[in-house]
Amino acid sequence: MGKIFKFKELDFRFKRGINMKRVTAKAPVNIALIKYWGKRDNVNITPYNSSISITLDNLYTVTTIEESNEFSFYLNGKKQTKEESQRVLLFLQNFASIDEISKINVFSTNYVPTAAGLASSASGFAALAVAANEYFNTQLEFKRLAAVTRMGSGSACRSLLGGFVAWNKTGEVYEITSPIKDLVLISVMIEEKQKPISSRKAMEITVNTSPLFPFWTIITNRDFIDMKHAIVSGQYELIGELTEKSARLMHATMLAANPPILYMKDDSIVIWDLIQRLRSRGVYAYITMDAGPNVKILTKSSHQINILEELKNLGFNTSVVSRIGEGARIING
């Protein structure tokens, strides 16, 4: 069996007063089955197409907001500069005044490689939003919280909920009830380093220059409807087919941009080829990829050992196996 990659739990030991206010939230990574790619409204962060994701149980971000004398932001144990912290500072203004924000520390830890195409920004901003909503007692109802959360990262609104989650192009976010409980996602780590071009920049280039983008929006909005029906009715094969189709089309649309955007590496293509061969032998396995080289394999729990063994035979020894998980929540207050 392939090695199951485990992220080291970072142990922060804060010097805190007896009555120091502190709130901690945890938010999961979500991986889109029907991809979101392209902002229709850059102010309210609404997409050109509707998307559907699956929430993962063991890839996540933990964020703590704690009372302090001045504002600081720590990511994965490292204090960030003022420039690096600016995005967090601006986001928090949706919950509190500058004066209130200037009196907190934010500690965020990604238990997933950061900026490597594994949706760490989605889990990060979902955790930050839930923590801030509690810490500042903003009491935003869910619809408003989802709208604010996507200001940090569009797909972060999907990490607020568990299971299968839809994000309509109108902005609505909701869970999709499904009889399916045994799907797992195998994330194969090809590169853990930060990707050379951010999702935000790549999305902007694609929208503005790819001749395939109009086609992408039309087809993806149709596939969204079909995927939602497949999830509700438990049609495994259709879920897999639409998942792989969405990933292929997104990467093709990016490749047609100017300049072309290519996140795939040689090893990414090797895994695509493996999955095609396994499926021809009756294994339930479908590929998906986001804005990064790492590959995710959608399969059933009963088939995961077979896939992990085949990956190991090809030299891919680092994988994360995730099941369907819960949405963002407060874990300490």
Side-chain angles (χ1 to χ4, degrees):
M1 184 189 298
K3 176 183 176 184
I4 305 303
F5 192 80
K6 295 183 179 179
F7 298 98
K8 182 180 179 182
E9 297 278 344
L10 298 181
D11 183 15
F12 291 119
R13 301 189 185 278
F14 309 118
K15 294 180 180 179
R16 57 176 72 92
I18 295 174
N19 297 316
M20 184 174 286
K21 186 176 181 181
R22 182 172 183 256
V23 170
T24 300
K26 178 180 180 180
V29 162
N30 76 79
I31 297 297
L33 306 182
I34 297 295
K35 303 298 185 187
Y36 145 60
W37 199 250
K39 296 182 181 71
R40 178 170 51 87
D41 182 340
N42 283 299
V43 175
N44 297 306
I45 316 299
T46 52
Y48 276 101
N49 67 275
S50 301
S51 60
I52 294 175
S53 65
I54 185 171
T55 303
L56 306 185
D57 67 342
N58 63 347
L59 295 175
Y60 55 88
T61 298
V62 174
T63 295
T64 295
I65 298 177
E66 185 173 80
E67 187 178 348
S68 177
N69 294 323
E70 61 180 7
F71 176 78
S72 294
F73 172 52
Y74 293 79
L75 178 60
N76 297 333
K78 180 182 177 182
K79 186 176 181 178
Q80 305 295 287
T81 66
K82 288 184 179 180
E83 291 75 19
E84 292 167 333
S85 303
Q86 190 64 20
R87 188 177 174 188
V88 169
L89 188 66
L90 290 173
F91 179 75
L92 288 171
Q93 291 178 44
N94 291 292
F95 299 92
S97 67
I98 287 291
D99 182 60
E100 292 172 297
I101 297 168
S102 68
K103 298 173 183 176
I104 63 169
N105 283 330
V106 178
F107 302 90
S108 188
T109 304
N110 290 326
Y111 296 101
V112 53
T114 301
L118 283 172
S120 59
S121 63
S123 59
F125 277 100
L128 182 60
V130 170
N133 197 41
E134 177 75 11
Y135 183 90
F136 295 112
N137 196 29
T138 317
Q139 298 184 352
L140 299 180
E141 48 83 27
F142 179 78
K143 182 177 180 180
R144 179 57 186 158
L145 181 63
V148 169
T149 301
R150 66 176 185 255
M151 299 293 182
S153 175
S155 58
C157 62
R158 297 190 308 238
S159 283
L160 295 174
L161 299 174
F164 296 97
V165 182
W167 177 23
N168 282 2
K169 60 183 179 180
T170 58
E172 183 184 8
V173 181
Y174 55 92
E175 290 185 18
I176 304 172
T177 302
S178 176
I180 292 176
K181 307 298 179 187
D182 61 338
L183 284 183
V184 299
L185 200 76
I186 301 173
S187 301
V188 186
M189 302 301 176
I190 292 171
E191 282 188 1
E192 293 177 40
K193 65 182 181 181
Q194 187 166 332
K195 56 198 176 190
I197 180 170
S198 70
S199 299
R200 182 169 293 195
K201 184 63 177 177
M203 196 177 292
E204 180 183 326
I205 293 170
T206 305
V207 170
N208 291 334
T209 70
S210 177
L212 295 182
F213 189 74
F215 177 76
W216 155 261
T217 58
I218 292 169
I219 297 301
T220 303
N221 280 313
R222 290 176 185 170
D223 288 347
F224 169 84
I225 296 170
D226 292 340
M227 178 66 88
K228 188 161 68 168
H229 175 71
I231 290 170
V232 170
S233 56
Q235 298 182 56
Y236 284 90
E237 300 301 326
L238 184 55
I239 290 171
E241 290 167 5
L242 289 170
T243 294
E244 199 165 282
K245 175 185 177 183
S246 185
R248 290 198 310 265
L249 185 55
M250 186 182 83
H251 283 269
T253 304
M254 286 192 287
L255 190 58
N258 185 23
I261 300 165
L262 179 63
Y263 285 112
M264 288 189 186
K265 302 292 184 182
D266 290 345
D267 282 346
S268 309
I269 296 171
V270 168
I271 296 173
W272 275 77
D273 181 63
L274 168 66
I275 294 309
Q276 302 299 318
R277 287 186 279 111
L278 286 176
R279 200 158 64 233
S280 70
R281 295 180 351 219
V283 176
Y284 182 87
Y286 293 87
I287 289 287
T288 187
M289 284 183 68
D290 294 296
N294 297 314
V295 179
K296 297 90 173 176
I297 304 166
L298 185 70
T299 187
K300 296 179 181 179
S301 56
S302 57
H303 292 178
Q304 72 182 57
I305 293 177
N306 188 354
I307 294 171
L308 289 168
E309 288 176 344
E310 293 287 349
L311 287 169
K312 184 178 179 181
N313 290 338
L314 289 176
F316 299 103
N317 297 313
T318 304
S319 303
V320 179
V321 179
S322 305
R323 289 174 168 74
I324 300 173
E326 299 177 338
R329 59 199 183 277
I330 297 295
I331 59 174
N332 180 41

